[in-house]
Amino acid sequence: ADGEHIRWLLIDAQAYADGGETAAWSLEIGEEGPAPAAALQIEETNAGVEIDTGALRFRLGGTGLLTSVQRRSAQGWTPLPDSDLVLYLTDGKGQRFDSTILPVRIQIEEVGPLRACLCLRGEHANADGLPCCPFILRIHVFAGRSDLRLQHTFIFDQDPEFVQLGSIGIELGAPLRERDCKVSIATDQHVLLGAQAVAVLQRDDQSCDTWQDGEQGTAGRTQGWARCSTKDGSVLAALTEPWREFPKGLRASAEGLDVQIWPAAAGPLSFSTPFREMAIRFDATRDEQEVIRRLQQNPTAPLNLKSFDVQSPADLEWVEQVVARHAPERAASHNDTGTDDGRGAAKTTDIWLRFEIEPVDDAAASQWAMAAQEPLLAPADPAYACATEAYGHFYHAGDDCYEAVDTGLDQIFASVAMEPQQRARLYGMMRYGNAVCSHS
């Protein structure tokens, strides 16, 4: 409106003027822009939402969520084995809740000729219709591609004192004929190839268990992809952070793929807290008798070790020894403390699916998974990005006004956020991506 900013058009260009002169630039929109080879088509019907990427057709909606999958070939559209996408979880007692019981709401959040995002919202429920934990599933589709990017979010809305989660995952049921079915999952050491079922469980960031047609083994890290192939077609799944967000599991069989966001074999996922009352604070004391006095005044309270104001390895050793002598059984933390539990916690997991009408070999599957896990990035120059004001009013790193601030931020970032975090090994499903607390 003021003739100065047109950021809402999402148009950006680098423009220069010689000698600092003012230059005028104009933007012209032609009658017809370049069209993609196969523009996306999305249609809402009574049965759900029909999607056609030019390479893949399918329907969203119904109890299986993803149905009527077809892949384009030189001969036309070829139906793939019936695929049902089911979101599931179990509680600590093994009771199953999934997405097939209660209605699912579908919203087209973003749509254009090249890509679209569809959002599915619902609740997991058991066979009696009892709900447990909402879910959000965003499905990104791309013109001319047979890949789907899923962003799976579960939200824990139960009382953590009474409910734990036993497993969380996505089943892509694609029943294949066992006589010609090939299933495989790759680790950093070898490819598990089976005729009936293969599986992998990433227990931590450095080790995983494997199963190959019933034979159990071990490996280091999973490559994060699984494949089911027959002469009629292939379905593949890939996790983007397979070992950084452990525990994770994958299973491939003649029944389809099971992407285990929290595998049952990893044990229960609890959102309770041992900090049920306010933690004792120690106000930087180095007096052991004062520590004992505060412990006796608060006989059941947890300990806020940050309040000792540790400044050196010797300080840390003293604190740990005092705690070991006088309160070894109490919950304690060097971080900030409170009494909040995990009710309301949410976690999003990135999963890619691929559908083909031909067998996909292991080398191609590995290459595809790597593209999903380590995508090419083209970051804009920081000074230029700030100068556009597309993000508002920012200063880029290196501005003379903020040399001291930049130095401090660099030091903090290098010590608490840089990959790989091998020294602290701050990996795991509910904590990877969080910067290390600087005072711990």
Side-chain angles (χ1 to χ4, degrees):
D2 58 10
E4 184 176 353
H5 297 296
I6 53 168
R7 286 175 293 186
W8 57 271
L9 285 177
L10 301 181
I11 291 171
D12 196 9
Q14 295 201 27
Y16 299 94
D18 292 333
E21 298 175 354
T22 299
W25 296 84
S26 62
L27 173 69
E28 296 181 5
I29 302 175
E31 294 182 4
E32 199 172 306
L40 281 173
Q41 297 181 28
I42 296 180
E43 181 182 358
E44 296 184 77
T45 69
N46 292 333
V49 180
E50 306 280 350
I51 295 119
D52 183 345
T53 72
L56 192 70
R57 281 179 178 171
F58 61 94
R59 178 187 301 126
L60 288 180
T63 58
L65 300 185
L66 177 69
T67 56
S68 305
V69 180
Q70 301 178 65
R71 179 71 166 92
R72 192 180 187 91
S73 67
Q75 290 73 40
W77 289 99
T78 302
L80 292 174
D82 290 338
S83 302
D84 289 329
L85 190 68
V86 177
L87 282 56
Y88 71 87
L89 60 81
T90 60
D91 62 16
K93 299 176 181 178
Q95 183 177 199
R96 179 181 168 104
F97 300 77
D98 64 39
S99 59
T100 66
I101 307 299
L102 299 179
V104 175
R105 303 179 301 280
I106 303 176
Q107 177 186 2
I108 301 173
E109 287 191 325
E110 183 180 350
V111 64
L114 294 178
R115 62 180 300 275
C117 176
L118 300 102
C119 181
L120 287 67
R121 297 175 184 266
E123 289 185 284
H124 304 88
N126 65 8
D128 296 326
L130 179 68
C132 178
C133 298
F135 65 79
I136 304 170
L137 182 69
R138 285 186 168 86
I139 300 180
H140 300 260
V141 296
F142 311 93
R145 300 292 297 273
S146 64
D147 301 324
L148 304 179
R149 180 190 182 188
L150 310 183
Q151 292 176 305
H152 169 282
T153 304
F154 76 89
I155 303 165
F156 183 78
D157 66 345
Q158 304 295 301
D159 188 335
E161 295 302 314
F162 299 99
V163 177
Q164 295 180 330
L165 298 184
S167 66
I168 308 166
I170 293 179
E171 294 171 340
L172 182 65
L176 308 172
R177 289 196 292 272
E178 288 194 30
R179 65 177 181 272
D180 62 357
C181 176
K182 291 183 175 60
V183 291
S184 57
I185 291 174
T187 71
D188 56 359
Q189 298 173 11
H190 55 276
V191 175
L192 305 167
L193 182 63
Q196 296 176 331
V198 293
V200 64
L201 168 62
Q202 190 75 48
R203 289 194 176 276
D204 59 32
D205 60 306
Q206 295 181 353
S207 62
C208 64
D209 298 335
T210 63
W211 292 265
Q212 186 173 5
D213 286 342
E215 183 178 342
Q216 190 168 352
T218 59
R221 293 171 174 172
T222 174
Q223 289 188 20
W225 61 264
R227 171 185 71 98
C228 291
S229 290
T230 71
K231 62 182 182 62
D232 300 319
S234 302
V235 291
L236 297 88
L239 289 159
T240 59
E241 302 288 353
W243 57 267
R244 293 183 181 93
E245 295 189 346
F246 71 86
K248 287 288 179 284
L250 289 164
R251 186 177 188 273
S253 71
E255 287 75 43
L257 299 173
D258 181 9
V259 181
Q260 300 163 3
I261 294 167
W262 183 275
L269 174 59
S270 174
F271 290 92
S272 63
T273 174
F275 289 76
R276 291 179 171 84
E277 56 183 301
M278 294 305 294
I280 304 171
R281 300 188 65 84
F282 296 97
D283 300 324
T285 184
R286 294 297 182 269
D287 183 343
E288 187 166 350
Q289 293 304 312
E290 175 63 16
V291 174
I292 294 172
R293 186 186 70 80
R294 297 192 184 198
L295 290 171
Q296 291 173 343
Q297 280 185 336
N298 304 273
T300 61
L303 316 179
N304 183 306
L305 305 183
K306 175 188 174 184
S307 62
F308 278 107
D309 191 24
V310 169
Q311 296 293 324
S312 68
D315 285 349
L316 178 61
E317 186 175 4
W318 183 86
V319 169
E320 297 288 347
Q321 289 176 350
V322 169
V323 171
R325 282 195 293 269
H326 303 293
E329 75 290 347
R330 298 208 202 182
S333 176
H334 285 281
N335 296 300
D336 297 316
T337 56
T339 57
D340 292 332
D341 57 33
R343 191 188 324 224
K347 173 62 182 173
T348 299
T349 302
D350 245 343
I351 302 164
W352 286 76
L353 301 179
R354 180 180 175 186
F355 300 86
E356 295 294 345
I357 53 174
E358 299 173 350
V360 176
D361 63 26
D362 296 324
S366 180
Q367 200 171 38
W368 169 75
M370 181 62 70
Q373 293 160 1
E374 302 290 345
L376 292 174
L377 300 176
D381 176 74
Y384 169 71
C386 292
T388 66
E389 296 191 358
Y391 307 106
H393 187 60
F394 277 91
Y395 277 98
H396 62 89
D399 189 286
D400 292 340
C401 294
Y402 296 102
E403 182 178 355
V405 174
D406 283 344
T407 301
L409 288 173
D410 286 345
Q411 291 172 349
I412 292 175
F413 189 81
S415 62
V416 305
M418 291 295 286
E419 272 272 78
Q421 298 175 11
Q422 292 291 347
R423 184 169 58 171
R425 289 182 66 188
L426 284 181
Y427 299 108
M429 175 171 167
M430 300 307 293
R431 66 179 182 179
Y432 176 69
N434 298 327
V436 184
C437 188
S438 59
H439 51 253
S440 66

